[in-house]
Amino acid sequence: AKKDGIANTFKFYSLELYQRSSERVMLSNGLRRAIERNEFCLFYQPKLNLKTGRIVGAEALIRWQHPELGLVMPSKFIPLAEETGLIVYLSEWVIKQACSQIRQWQQQDLMPIRVSVNLSGRDFKRDRLVENVEQAIAAHEIAPNCLELEITEGIIVSHTSLTKEILAKLRALGIRITVDDFGTGYSSLSYLRNFPIDTLKIDRCFVQNIDKNDSDAAITMAVIDLARALSLEVVAEGVENQAQLEFMKRANCDCIQGFYFSRPVPATEFAGMLAAGKILEV
Ligand code: C2E
Ligand code: MG
Ligand code: MG
Ligand code: MG
């Protein structure tokens, strides 16, 4: 009986493990195919200058146009792409696509704005990143300062020396570097003076409860002051309402991004906003 129990337990676990891993295989095969079939697209969310109310940038956010599932959000496949290493190919595609979009908007006289793309930790474990960026910029003949790379605090903290080297090379090309989701999880601020960066982006989790939570408000103001003191630009992400907007204005934040002004939209819709001169009432 005892032997049976162990056998059953083993069977149970191996079945579950099997299902889990086969689901992963299915998804990652799906991702692999999706890369080959070009099933991804970029949505763009405006960043607004709080002094002028004008659109000064766009964050490119990836979506998977799945033949059966429809539009799949990045939270559903980026973690898997990171685990399997496929992220490197996705990032390569995102960089090219963003540069091509910048070129197109330039030709339509809709620039100058900056377009940012998100990168993952994996991208910083190989030197190819610099080459990819350099090639994409050259191929599309765009000014390097139109392109911005968003990297999370975690990337900077966890892969120090090579990361720093790669970032320095990218910045030497004239590309701007933003620390995304700033304030989440890492307490050491010393890297800020050692890393070649341009912008701090305050994480949405602080912005969300700014009017209800005194500590979130205090942290936000401290980050804005810190950015100011270090001559960095500061952006607040996830601004959803008038109260949050007013707070950021009072706190002297440079830029905001969030559903209050616009959700991420397809490229043509973004171009429409630029062409119409849509601005934020400030
Ligand atoms: P992120 O880089 O912090 O991007 C901001 C996310 O917050 C976006 O979600 C955006 O739609 C959402 N957001 C912006 N404003 C608001 C708001 O006012 N309220 C709320 N509730 N949400 C807001 P999205 O597009 O689902 O992307 C989620 C995350 O996926 C991104 O967070 C980024 O970490 C990752 N991601 C997106 N595209 C890429 C990509 O091309 N490459 C990589 N490596 N990661 C990506
Ligand atoms: Mg981002
Ligand atoms: Mg962010
Ligand atoms: Mg975020």
Side-chain angles (χ1 to χ4, degrees):
K2 200 180 172 197
K3 210 174 128 208
D4 256 22
I6 290 171
N8 281 335
T9 306
F10 178 69
K11 227 183 277 165
F12 172 75
Y13 279 118
S14 61
L15 181 64
E16 197 194 75
L17 268 179
Y18 171 75
Q19 281 171 343
R20 219 186 297 155
S21 64
S22 72
E23 188 184 67
R24 278 171 48 88
V25 169
M26 264 167 54
L27 268 172
S28 76
N29 283 344
L31 260 180
R32 229 178 278 268
R33 255 200 325 272
I35 294 171
E36 284 160 15
R37 294 181 187 171
N38 219 347
E39 289 175 359
F40 297 97
C41 68
L42 293 179
F43 273 38
Y44 295 87
Q45 187 179 35
K47 291 182 194 177
L48 303 131
N49 179 295
L50 276 182
K51 291 251 148 60
T52 63
R54 295 174 70 100
I55 299 174
V56 290
E59 176 172 15
L61 295 155
I62 197 167
R63 271 94 182 99
W64 180 0
Q65 287 170 310
H66 195 283
E68 284 118 48
L69 302 173
L71 208 63
V72 184
M73 300 303 275
S75 58
K76 288 271 194 294
F77 62 90
I78 291 289
L80 181 72
E82 285 174 340
E83 280 171 52
T84 55
L86 288 170
I87 190 71
V88 168
Y89 302 102
L90 272 190
S91 297
E92 207 170 302
W93 179 84
V94 170
I95 290 164
K96 278 192 203 146
Q97 184 61 28
C99 288
S100 146
Q101 191 60 73
I102 290 171
R103 178 65 180 172
Q104 204 179 317
W105 284 338
Q106 241 160 22
Q107 284 169 336
Q108 295 168 356
D109 247 334
L110 295 171
M111 299 289 273
I113 60 148
R114 289 201 298 261
V115 175
S116 67
V117 302
N118 293 280
L119 295 178
S120 292
R122 281 259 190 162
D123 295 313
F124 286 87
K125 290 188 172 153
R126 48 207 280 290
D127 228 5
R128 268 294 293 285
L129 178 61
V130 181
E131 226 173 281
N132 289 340
V133 170
E134 218 170 351
Q135 275 167 9
I137 285 174
H140 297 97
E141 301 180 296
I142 61 164
N145 64 3
C146 291
L147 183 68
E148 190 171 322
L149 303 177
E150 298 198 7
I151 58 174
T152 59
E153 227 178 348
I155 295 178
I156 288 183
V157 174
S158 57
H159 316 77
T160 324
S161 81
L162 182 59
T163 308
K164 195 169 159 183
E165 210 175 288
I166 294 175
L167 279 179
K169 284 185 189 164
L170 289 167
R171 201 141 170 276
L173 295 176
I175 291 167
R176 297 179 56 96
I177 311 289
T178 291
V179 182
D180 201 355
D181 302 339
F182 186 77
T184 53
Y186 294 88
S187 55
S188 165
L189 295 175
S190 61
Y191 75 81
L192 286 176
R193 70 184 145 97
N194 294 324
F195 269 82
I197 55 174
D198 302 281
T199 305
L200 298 183
K201 197 183 222 186
I202 305 169
D203 194 68
R204 188 168 81 226
C205 72
F206 301 110
V207 178
Q208 217 162 32
N209 300 313
I210 220 154
D211 37 357
K212 289 163 242 133
N213 186 314
D214 289 345
S215 353
D216 287 350
I219 289 168
T220 300
M221 287 195 284
V223 172
I224 293 170
D225 288 345
L226 179 68
R228 194 71 63 228
L230 295 171
S231 304
L232 299 171
E233 193 184 64
V234 60
V235 181
E237 75 173 10
V239 171
E240 292 184 346
N241 57 46
Q242 183 85 34
Q244 291 161 352
L245 169 70
E246 292 303 328
F247 182 98
M248 294 306 162
K249 273 200 279 184
R250 276 199 310 275
N252 245 324
C253 189
D254 297 311
C255 297
I256 60 147
Q257 180 183 343
F259 293 175
Y260 180 71
F261 183 78
S262 171
R263 286 177 179 264
V265 294
T268 46
E269 210 171 308
F270 190 88
M273 279 194 250
L274 288 175
K278 187 182 175 194
I279 64 163
L280 174 76
E281 299 297 334
V282 286

